[in-house]
């Protein structure tokens, strides 16, 4: 696992834990909750940036007829 993926994983886990902890308290601190959510979204964004799009492929699944077959 390279360092970038490790950072993404740590951001997601720590952000989720902080957001869960901030929401579970009796008196909720909105700044801690927002910080956890921001860290969670940052980790998810960095992870999704590395996933290739399905539309980036050059080949097409649609087969065209050749002109000499018509």
């Amino acid at each position: 696992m390279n360092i970038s993926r490790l950072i993404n994983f740590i951001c997601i886990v720590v952000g989720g834990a902080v957001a869960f902890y901030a929401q579970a308290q009796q008196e909720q601190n909105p700044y801690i909750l927002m910080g956890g959510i921001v860290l969670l979204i940052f980790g998810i964004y960095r992870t999704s940036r590395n996933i290739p799009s399905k539309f980036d492929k050059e080949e097409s699944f649609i087969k065209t007829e050749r002109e000499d077959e018509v």
Side-chain angles (χ1 to χ4, degrees):
M1 181 182 275
N2 60 10
I3 197 75
S4 179
R5 293 178 78 184
L6 183 64
I7 291 171
N8 297 344
F9 181 73
I10 289 172
C11 285
I12 292 171
V13 170
V14 170
V18 168
F20 185 74
Y21 171 75
Q23 191 175 10
Q25 289 182 348
Q26 186 72 16
E27 294 182 18
Q28 297 176 356
N29 189 347
Y31 297 113
I32 295 176
L33 180 61
M34 285 190 296
I37 291 172
V38 166
L39 196 59
L40 177 67
I41 297 298
F42 177 72
I44 292 172
Y45 168 72
R46 283 181 46 106
T47 301
S48 68
R49 223 177 25 173
N50 296 329
I51 299 173
S53 173
K54 67 178 183 180
F55 298 114
D56 287 345
K57 297 179 183 175
E58 293 295 325
E59 61 187 54
S60 175
F61 291 111
I62 301 172
K63 294 186 178 183
T64 58
E65 295 182 21
R66 293 189 300 197
E67 291 181 16
D68 58 341
E69 291 182 354
V70 179

